[in-house]
Amino acid sequence: MSTATLAPANDHEHHGPPRGMRRWLMSTNHKDIGTMYLIFALVMLFLGGASAMLIRAELFMPGLQLLEPDLYNNLVTNHALIMIFGAVMPAAAGLANWMIPLMIGAPDMALPRMNNLSFWILPAAATMLMLSFVVPFFPGGGSQINTGWTLYPPLSLQVGMSMDFLIFAIHLLGISSVLASINIIVTIFNMRAPGMNLMQMPIFVWTWLVTAFLLILVVPVLAGGVTMLLFDRHFGTSFFNAAGGGDPVLFQHLFWFFGHPEVYVLILPSFGVLASIIPTFARKPLFGYKSLVGSMIAIMFIGMVVWAHHQYTIGMSLAAVSYFMIGTIIISIPVGLMVFNYIATMWRGSMTFETPMLFAVAILLMFSFGGLTGIMLAVVPADMQYHDSMFVVAHFHYVLLPGAVFGLFAGVFYWLPKWTGNMYDERLAKIFFWINVIGFNLTFFPQHFLGLAGMPRRIIDYNIMFTEFNMVSSVGAMIFGLSHLLLLYIIIKTIRGGKPASARVWEGANGLEWELPSPPPFHSWTTAPQIK
Amino acid sequence: MAGEQNLQSKNRRTLLMLSAITLGMFGFGFAMVPLYCFLCQITGVQSVQQRTQTTASTVAANQSVSDRWVTVKFDSTVHPDLPWNFQAQERKLRVRLGEVNEMDFIAENRSSSEILGQAIPSVVPWQANAFFNKMECFCFRQQSLKGLESKHMPLRFSVSPDLPNDISSLTISYNFMRLDMNNEKPFTVVAK
Ligand code: HEM
Ligand SMILES: [Cu+2]
């Protein structure tokens, strides 16, 4: 890393933002970069959502209507990768960029030029990802990526050149998130206002600290894994190619060594958002700060050693599956502890239910439900039945949508008045909440029954006995998907105007970010705040 | 401004430390390759390499015929690079433990040129591995088929009476690989 990335945290020369495209292309301002991350994530949310709606449209009826089997599986692959790497992670990074410096009283991120780089890699990576989807439609473009997001060999060794685009996209996405994580850790360690020690930081900052560490620990392993795939495909090595003495199961281990911690990467920042929202609207201080921090750290360590619960069916020894089963069940204890802390925060509070709080309550309910199905899946003999069925799909959507995506929505509603200086339209936002949550449950609840009854995942066609539940699920998916147009409308409307927001915005809000005016000036905390 | 200087060098130190962790984890990914083989070895899961080297000498000591019956299933896969058909004559066989049985496999070259291949066996569940004895197997040797040639490939085997009681059925699975990929001769598939 050159010293050029270590520019002083803020430039005293000019006080307003530069004009035109330069403001965005060359930005080193944490607020502008945060905004770009969030806009990028929103665009990706719509792309990933469109692929999901195509999938559900195809599954509305048994038989093949709209898609070919390979195209269907390519959509499944693309949907997952876009949502995880394009929507959720960048949105969480956007919140981090906006809020961490404001919350810890820092003038900007510690490495502002690196910050610019980690954002601008993303559009390039997204383009690669799109190309991997588009290339097979052209003559000579090879076959579609029909592996699912897990990219298991031997299938991923046989796919055409679109797989190479995807591997490079994953490299770029990995580099971007590692750079962002390093930046966040350096900022949190070195840029706190004098007098703020680690145990005084808002929980949101803590969640990102743990997330960033998880990312730099596991993303390089995924990068190594896909690099080996690339070598097997083009340079005659046999890491995974059984014909040359390699072992495809090794890839599964590398993938899930990344993949399981990744689920915590996705939920932790959103859990941090809840730790800001719930005390605000319960008008009570957060319950159990220390145990929240302890839980997160426990999740980080245990989360890195339970990955093979995704691979119970590969024929591990009894001792190995027992270990992974027990580890997996143990990890639900710190996760549950975080949920209980939030419930205890609400206990006997004087609660009001503005949209962020509505989301928070819904998240706790639905996420806990997903955690319960997770425990079912953790049990080896049960998982032998449920593995690769729609039940798994239902499980991870119940944890991921509430746990990660809804948490981000809640955060956007909570901080949008701070960012823009305008209140959002509360009535529309509540309508959005209800359509969104009802649509979500309509889509994914029936998938539990489908999975238990034996419908496999990642297959375009199904037995006619599954028709009714699939129809309900598809109708739900259309409601759920389209409801996001309302979200888009609310956000645009808020940016363009609305009731002016006060500095504190919410009556019960606490924390440094609320001491700044709404919207905060382009350079904030140029002199560090006093920590009492 | 001494403070700013100080902060910069502090930032640089943290940055270097974190970059080192990142690079270390990238290396760890590759270290998993030998580590994984090693773990499989000490826990008794045979790697593909070891399975190819298994010969008739692994026949277990206990050769008395018992009256316990198990089902042996025969599975076969052909690697996409190899234009062969390959299949057992029967899908499964009921056998008595200790008894010597034979199963015939048929391999057929669909292309017009001579190709070298080798079958790699594996047993599921893997716990049965040590009790499945191959007295004679086409998988001990490389096999060569001329263009359009087809060949009977026999497997002579027994299942040891020491087979753990909870196993009542096992599958022997062959994956036929192409060996002469490097001096890649172009071939044309002429049969189906
Ligand atoms: C109580 C906590 C949890 C437990 C015990 C648990 C357990 C499991 C198990 C055993 C599986 C593998 C199922 C199979 O493939 O047969 C699984 C799959 C999955 N879980 Fe969880 N889980 C928990 C929480 C979470 C959370 C919080 C997330 C994400 C935010 C998550 C995301 C996923 C995903 C994405 C998959 C499927 C991956 C795939 O195969 O594509 N889980 N879970
Ligand atoms: Cu997992």
Side-chain angles (χ1 to χ4, degrees):
Chain A
M1 211 47 65
S2 75
T3 51
T5 54
L6 297 164
N10 70 317
D11 228 318
H12 292 283
E13 308 306 330
H14 42 77
H15 290 271
R19 273 169 231 275
M21 276 313 287
R22 280 176 58 97
R23 167 170 183 184
W24 305 105
L25 281 175
M26 327 251 290
S27 176
T28 54
N29 180 286
H30 74 101
K31 301 183 187 78
D32 281 355
I33 294 179
T35 305
M36 289 194 290
Y37 263 116
L38 287 165
I39 293 172
F40 176 82
L42 197 59
V43 173
M44 288 291 131
L45 182 76
F46 279 95
L47 275 176
S51 52
M53 284 166 74
L54 269 175
I55 293 168
R56 277 317 321 173
E58 170 61 52
L59 291 179
F60 183 72
M61 283 193 297
L64 274 55
Q65 283 90 33
L66 302 170
L67 308 170
E68 297 282 301
D70 274 338
L71 179 57
Y72 174 86
N73 281 6
N74 197 359
L75 281 170
V76 173
T77 311
N78 250 49
H79 162 70
L81 291 170
I82 292 177
M83 285 303 194
I84 292 172
F85 289 103
V88 174
M89 288 167 72
L95 292 187
N97 258 292
W98 252 104
M99 300 318 297
I100 290 177
L102 298 188
M103 284 177 155
I104 64 174
D108 205 309
M109 298 296 279
L111 313 165
R113 291 185 195 163
M114 197 165 97
N115 204 13
N116 176 294
L117 181 63
S118 41
F119 173 75
W120 280 110
I121 290 175
L122 280 181
T127 311
M128 279 283 201
L129 196 63
M130 296 304 136
L131 279 177
S132 81
F133 181 75
V134 173
V135 152
F137 291 104
F138 290 92
S143 59
Q144 314 233 20
I145 306 175
N146 47 11
T147 61
W149 80 292
T150 49
L151 312 178
Y152 282 2
L155 208 48
S156 54
L157 296 178
Q158 293 157 16
V159 170
M161 70 162 149
S162 47
M163 189 55 123
D164 302 319
F165 282 96
L166 185 57
I167 289 173
F168 284 126
I170 290 178
H171 278 142
L172 288 178
L173 292 162
I175 291 170
S176 160
S177 59
V178 165
L179 292 182
S181 301
I182 289 180
N183 206 346
I184 285 168
I185 299 174
V186 177
T187 306
I188 295 175
F189 277 176
N190 299 346
M191 305 281 286
R192 276 168 287 129
M196 178 184 275
N197 64 35
L198 286 177
M199 291 306 277
Q200 283 167 323
M201 298 190 311
I203 286 290
F204 176 75
V205 181
W206 259 110
T207 53
W208 248 111
L209 183 61
V210 172
T211 302
F213 265 109
L214 270 176
L215 279 169
I216 64 170
L217 287 172
V218 301
V219 165
V221 176
L222 175 71
V226 295
T227 307
M228 291 180 216
L229 270 186
L230 193 71
F231 277 40
D232 272 14
R233 289 168 56 82
H234 296 293
F235 305 117
T237 57
S238 293
F239 290 104
F240 312 126
N241 184 3
D247 193 337
V249 171
L250 173 61
F251 180 82
Q252 302 187 6
H253 284 287
L254 290 170
F255 183 87
W256 288 114
F257 184 86
F258 151 83
H260 185 73
E262 173 70 11
V263 306
Y264 299 108
V265 165
L266 299 174
I267 59 158
L268 280 176
S270 295
F271 265 52
V273 172
L274 293 189
S276 287
I277 290 176
I278 294 175
T280 299
F281 297 101
R283 292 168 183 77
K284 268 180 65 195
L286 187 65
F287 181 89
Y289 179 95
K290 280 187 191 153
S291 71
L292 279 170
V293 173
S295 301
M296 270 182 249
I297 294 174
I299 288 173
M300 172 170 121
F301 283 108
I302 310 173
M304 289 189 58
V305 292
V306 297
W307 71 89
H309 60 225
H310 296 274
Q311 306 163 260
Y312 286 149
T313 53
I314 62 173
M316 286 183 286
S317 69
L318 188 61
V321 288
S322 307
Y323 160 76
F324 283 112
M325 171 167 98
I326 294 167
T328 305
I329 295 174
I330 284 178
I331 208 170
S332 55
I333 296 172
V335 177
L337 203 61
M338 293 186 80
V339 172
F340 282 123
N341 273 321
Y342 293 152
I343 296 174
T345 307
M346 289 192 269
W347 181 253
R348 297 202 165 157
S350 34
M351 291 202 279
T352 50
F353 296 95
E354 287 83 349
T355 310
M357 188 62 167
L358 279 180
F359 268 111
V361 174
I363 287 166
L364 291 184
L365 281 168
M366 298 186 298
F367 176 83
S368 307
F369 185 79
L372 282 178
T373 55
I375 307 263
M376 291 172 69
L377 292 171
V379 177
V380 180
D383 185 63
M384 295 288 169
Q385 286 294 318
Y386 307 150
H387 182 63
D388 264 345
S389 75
M390 291 301 277
F391 189 80
V392 176
V393 176
H395 156 67
F396 67 72
H397 283 94
Y398 261 86
V399 275
L400 274 177
L401 275 154
V405 180
F406 292 176
L408 297 167
F409 290 169
V412 167
F413 283 117
Y414 184 59
W415 284 312
L416 203 54
K418 170 57 60 185
W419 300 333
T420 61
N422 305 320
M423 288 305 284
Y424 61 84
D425 185 332
E426 188 66 57
R427 195 181 61 92
L428 281 184
K430 281 190 171 145
I431 294 174
F432 166 69
F433 166 82
W434 285 109
I435 302 178
N436 195 248
V437 166
I438 291 173
F440 162 75
N441 282 284
L442 214 52
T443 311
F444 293 105
F445 203 74
Q447 296 185 4
H448 291 102
F449 304 127
L450 288 170
L452 292 178
M455 179 174 159
R457 67 191 277 211
R458 289 178 179 162
I459 292 181
I460 186 170
D461 195 3
Y462 54 82
N463 191 307
I464 45 168
M465 75 177 192
F466 300 130
T467 310
E468 285 78 8
F469 279 135
N470 269 303
M471 284 186 165
V472 175
S473 181
S474 289
V475 170
M478 297 305 136
I479 298 174
F480 182 59
L482 292 176
S483 75
H484 296 90
L485 292 175
L486 184 54
L487 173 70
L488 184 66
Y489 174 74
I490 297 170
I491 293 176
I492 292 175
K493 190 170 164 217
T494 314
I495 294 173
R496 300 182 56 172
K499 205 170 103 256
S502 66
R504 191 150 296 274
V505 182
W506 311 106
E507 172 198 46
N510 263 310
L512 288 178
E513 77 261 40
W514 307 109
E515 324 244 302
L516 294 166
S518 308
F522 192 63
H523 294 300
S524 46
W525 297 137
T526 40
T527 48
Q530 223 47 51
I531 309 294
K532 283 147 273 173
Chain B
M1 285 172 79
E4 201 134 296
Q5 283 294 320
N6 222 333
L7 180 63
Q8 274 200 41
S9 66
K10 213 166 125 188
N11 283 352
R12 188 172 304 133
R13 267 202 311 280
T14 322
L15 173 67
L16 285 178
M17 185 190 80
L18 296 170
S19 312
I21 298 182
T22 308
L23 288 179
M25 289 310 291
F26 189 69
F28 172 77
F30 285 87
M32 287 269 273
V33 180
L35 212 68
Y36 174 74
C37 280
F38 174 71
L39 276 175
C40 289
Q41 236 158 44
I42 56 172
T43 53
V45 182
Q46 286 191 323
S47 72
V48 175
Q49 290 281 312
Q50 289 167 315
R51 271 186 251 141
T52 1
Q53 283 149 15
T54 329
T55 56
S57 66
T58 51
V59 173
N62 189 345
Q63 279 305 321
S64 59
V65 177
S66 91
D67 51 6
R68 210 178 117 207
W69 291 79
V70 292
T71 307
V72 178
K73 297 177 188 157
F74 304 93
D75 174 53
S76 58
T77 321
V78 183
H79 197 268
D81 289 334
L82 187 70
W84 290 7
N85 294 334
F86 173 67
Q87 215 164 20
Q89 293 276 43
E90 308 274 346
R91 301 273 307 256
K92 57 187 175 188
L93 211 60
R94 288 286 286 169
V95 305
R96 236 172 357 170
L97 298 187
E99 189 180 62
V100 176
N101 283 276
E102 214 174 284
M103 172 57 55
D104 228 7
F105 286 72
I106 297 178
E108 184 195 2
N109 188 348
R110 281 187 280 123
S111 78
S112 56
S113 39
E114 181 172 353
I115 294 179
L116 200 62
Q118 181 159 15
I120 299 192
S122 69
V123 176
V124 179
W126 64 269
Q127 286 88 346
N129 223 329
F131 307 95
F132 189 83
N133 309 314
K134 297 184 277 291
M135 278 94 182
E136 193 190 317
C137 178
F138 49 89
C139 59
F140 295 159
R141 279 178 305 279
Q142 305 183 345
Q143 303 284 346
S144 160
L145 287 187
K146 299 205 182 57
L148 291 178
E149 187 192 4
S150 70
K151 209 192 229 174
H152 282 252
M153 299 188 173
L155 161 73
R156 210 135 58 79
F157 68 94
S158 73
V159 184
S160 155
D162 299 331
L163 184 77
N165 274 325
D166 57 340
I167 301 178
S168 59
S169 138
L170 50 101
T171 304
I172 167 93
S173 173
Y174 285 102
N175 199 344
F176 236 112
M177 308 281 179
R178 184 165 180 185
L179 284 182
D180 51 1
M181 271 302 275
N182 294 338
N183 47 340
E184 199 152 347
K185 283 172 278 177
F187 61 78
T188 39
V189 177
V190 289
K192 258 256 155 89

